[in-house]
Amino acid sequence: MVTVNVSTPDGLSAPLPAELHYDTTDPYAVRLSLGAPVNRPVDWVFARLLLSEGLRRPTGSGDVLVLPRHRCHRRSVRIVLRSRAGSASIDIAESEVASFLRRTVSLVPPGTENLHVDIDRALTELTGRRD
């Protein structure tokens, strides 16, 4: 559990509890849970590679962008989340992100994700069939 700073385009800013999660059954993805455990969390799922590359350079397009060492928060990584409802910037300590990513790499090294995917289970989940 970490505390992140959440900012909106209208200038509002507030601290919020957050957690980064990794599940080896979905080895390409990470989940950012905002507001847990105090409130019902808001979860964002995006590519682990996006988060990793975002430590070094601005990356991403669409709903999730990751920016390293933002000028206002030099020891933070900024994750910009966008949806139809609006957008928010999440500043999280770079050390927390780096530590989290090291733990994920120890579980599933980059390039070996495909060895951890259960294709039959994924197809069952997608189709709803249990043949």
Side-chain angles (χ1 to χ4, degrees), residues 29-42:
V30 296
R31 180 171 41 100
L32 173 62
S33 293
L34 299 167
V38 177
N39 299 312
R40 187 172 153 207
V42 174

Side-chain angles (χ1 to χ4, degrees), residues 18-71:
E19 289 183 301
L20 284 165
H21 302 275
Y22 184 70
D23 184 346
T24 58
T25 63
D26 190 4
Y28 293 100
V30 296
R31 180 171 41 100
L32 173 62
S33 293
L34 299 167
V38 177
N39 299 312
R40 187 172 153 207
V42 174
D43 291 333
W44 283 77
V45 178
F46 51 95
R48 176 175 72 161
L49 184 59
L50 179 72
L51 187 60
S52 178
E53 287 184 3
L55 286 174
R56 294 183 302 281
R57 64 179 178 85
T59 190
S61 60
D63 294 345
V64 180
L65 308 170
V66 182
L67 311 164
R69 294 189 185 104
H70 188 266
R71 68 183 179 284

Side-chain angles (χ1 to χ4, degrees), residues 101-115:
L101 287 169
R102 280 192 299 275
R103 289 190 305 273
T104 73
V105 166
S106 72
L107 295 170
V108 179
T112 66
E113 293 91 349
N114 64 320
L115 301 174

